[in-house]
Amino acid sequence: MRSSWKGAITFGLVSIPVQLFPATEEHGVSLHQVHAEDGGRIRVKRYCEKENREVPYAEIAKAYESPDGRTAVLTDADLSELPLPSKKIIDVLAFVDASEVDPLLLAKPYYLQTATPAAAKPYVLLREALAGTGRAAVTKITLRTRESLALLRVRGDLLVLQTMLWPDEVRSASGLEPQGKVEVRPQELSMATSLMDTLSEDFDLQALHDDYQHALDTLVAAKLEGVEPPSEEEAGEGAPDNVIDLMAALSASVKAAERSRTAGEPEEPEEGKPPRKSAAKQPAARKTARKQQPEAKKTASSGGRKSPEKTAGKAGGQPAEKTGEKPAKKTAAARRRASA
C-alpha cells in the first residue's frame, strides 16, 4: 500500500511525522460507454468552443463563471499562491468528546503511520491520551489543494484521520420531520423493541457482502465467455407503501423472524394446551367408528337383548344350526306361505 500524503501532526510544540494511507476501497467493475450497435468505444474529447478544435490537457485551466456570465480564469500558479497553513501538517484545533461529533460530518478515513522511528513515542503517547479520555481531536488538513476539517481518533492500535465536511456544508433538515401530532402506544413501542432484539441476535456485520456486485461480476464473466448468464430467482415483491395495522405488522414481523431462526426444530405445544394429534391418525379413528356403527344398529334393533340363536348356542354349547331349531322355523314359514 502506498501512502497518499506525508506531513506531521502538530499540537502545541509537539510534532509527530506521519503518513496517510487510504483506509477504505470500493469494489466494483469499471464500466465505460460504447456504441450499442458495434461496441465501439465512446470518447470524451476536450474541445474548445471558440476555436472549434481539440486542445491538449496542458492548455486547460480552471475557471469560475459568475451568475451574470463573466468568467474568472484561475491557473495553477494562481491557486498555488493561496495561503494554506495546513498544507503539510495536521493542525490540531481542539479535543472533544467523540460522542459530540455528528456522524453526518464524517467523510473519507485514513490510517496514520509514523514516518520515522523517532515518531513512535509521541505517536503512542497521543494515542493513549485519546483512548484514556474518550476524546478525539478536531484538526485541519490540506489534501489535493483543498483544506478541510478532519477528526483524529483511535481505532485499535492506530490513529485514524477522517476528513469532515464544514458545518455550513450540511443542509438543514427543517420541515422534513413527520408533520402533525403522532402518538405511539406503549404496546407498539414494546413490540418494536422486541422485533429489534429478535433481528439483532447473532448479527455479524463482517458476514455481509454486496449481492449486486457479485451478480454484476457473474454477468460480466458470462458475457466475456459468450454464454448465457445464470438465471437469478425473481425478486420478491417490495414492501407495502401503507401500513394499515402497525401492531399486526410488528407482530407478524416478530413471528416471521422467530420462525426463520427456529426452522427445523419441533414445534412445542402452547402452555395449557395438549399437543395436537397428527393428521395421519385421524382417518384411522374415523374408519374404526364406521366399523362400529353396524354393531350398534344390531344392538338397538334387538332392544339390547341377545338373539335366541346366540342364547341357545351358549346354553347348549352348540350352534343353533346343529340343534335343528333353525330348519324347523324355516319349514313352518314355508307352510304358511304355501297356504296363503
Side-chain angles (χ1 to χ4, degrees):
M1 192 187 318
R2 188 172 61 180
S3 65
S4 58
W5 183 92
K6 290 183 178 181
I9 302 173
T10 62
F11 60 103
L13 299 177
V14 179
S15 180
I16 309 174
V18 293
Q19 49 190 349
L20 298 185
F21 296 87
T24 60
E25 61 180 354
E26 294 184 2
H27 299 288
V29 177
S30 180
L31 304 177
H32 53 256
Q33 293 181 333
V34 297
H35 187 199
E37 297 295 331
D38 53 20
R41 184 72 178 267
I42 302 299
R43 302 286 183 178
V44 178
K45 297 183 178 181
R46 299 179 179 89
Y47 188 81
C48 177
E49 294 180 349
K50 290 187 176 181
E51 297 183 9
N52 293 326
R53 68 179 181 90
E54 186 179 356
V55 296
Y57 183 78
E59 297 181 10
I60 296 176
K62 294 181 175 62
Y64 172 79
E65 184 175 355
S66 64
D68 58 5
R70 292 176 298 166
T71 300
V73 178
L74 305 175
T75 64
D76 291 340
D78 294 331
L79 296 175
S80 63
E81 293 178 359
L82 295 176
L84 287 174
S86 59
K87 190 169 185 179
K88 284 295 180 181
I89 63 173
I90 300 173
D91 186 19
V92 176
L93 304 178
F95 295 93
V96 300
D97 289 336
S99 60
E100 295 180 3
V101 180
D102 187 352
L104 196 61
L105 292 169
L106 300 178
K108 188 173 178 61
Y110 296 88
Y111 293 136
L112 267 70
Q113 183 189 51
T114 55
T116 62
K121 185 171 183 177
Y123 182 99
V124 173
L125 177 62
L126 177 59
R127 183 193 68 193
E128 295 302 314
L130 292 175
T133 59
R135 293 184 178 182
V138 178
T139 70
K140 279 185 178 182
I141 186 174
T142 298
L143 297 172
R144 299 181 183 87
T145 71
R146 184 175 182 234
E147 186 178 58
S148 67
L149 290 175
L151 190 71
L152 184 63
R153 57 186 179 86
V154 178
R155 186 178 187 273
D157 294 333
L158 282 178
L159 290 174
V160 174
L161 186 80
Q162 195 155 4
T163 56
M164 301 171 60
L165 300 173
W166 296 95
D168 60 357
E169 291 180 318
V170 177
R171 293 178 174 177
S172 172
S174 177
L176 299 180
E177 64 277 2
Q179 302 298 316
K181 186 178 181 180
V182 179
E183 294 183 358
V184 177
R185 295 183 296 168
Q187 300 93 322
E188 294 170 340
L189 184 59
S190 176
M191 187 65 69
T193 304
S194 177
L195 176 59
M196 292 167 58
D197 293 339
T198 303
L199 293 177
S200 302
E201 291 180 5
D202 301 327
F203 175 72
D204 184 9
L205 183 61
Q206 301 298 325
L208 301 181
H209 58 275
D210 190 346
D211 293 330
Y212 175 82
Q213 184 60 49
H214 174 71
L216 180 59
D217 293 339
T218 304
L219 175 61
V220 171
K223 291 288 187 179
L224 292 176
E225 296 296 329
V227 298
E228 286 294 325
S231 59
E232 297 290 341
E233 295 182 359
E234 294 184 1
E237 296 181 0
D241 55 1
N242 61 336
V243 179
I244 299 176
D245 190 337
L246 182 58
M247 282 296 293
L250 290 172
S251 179
S253 300
V254 172
K255 291 179 180 179
E258 290 176 348
R259 283 197 302 270
S260 65
R261 294 181 56 80
T262 58
E265 297 181 1
E267 183 180 355
E268 297 182 357
E270 297 182 10
E271 186 177 356
K273 293 183 179 181
R276 292 180 298 178
K277 296 181 179 179
S278 62
K281 294 182 178 180
Q282 294 175 359
R286 289 195 298 268
K287 187 175 181 182
T288 304
R290 285 195 297 269
K291 286 183 177 181
Q292 293 175 352
Q293 289 176 1
E295 297 293 338
K297 290 181 179 179
K298 283 184 178 182
T299 303
S301 61
S302 60
R305 294 172 297 177
K306 294 182 180 179
S307 63
E309 294 83 358
K310 289 186 177 181
T311 304
K314 186 174 181 181
Q318 296 293 331
E321 291 80 0
K322 292 183 179 182
T323 59
E325 295 176 5
K326 206 166 194 177
K329 287 184 179 181
K330 288 184 178 179
T331 304
R335 287 199 298 267
R336 286 196 298 271
R337 286 196 298 272
S339 63

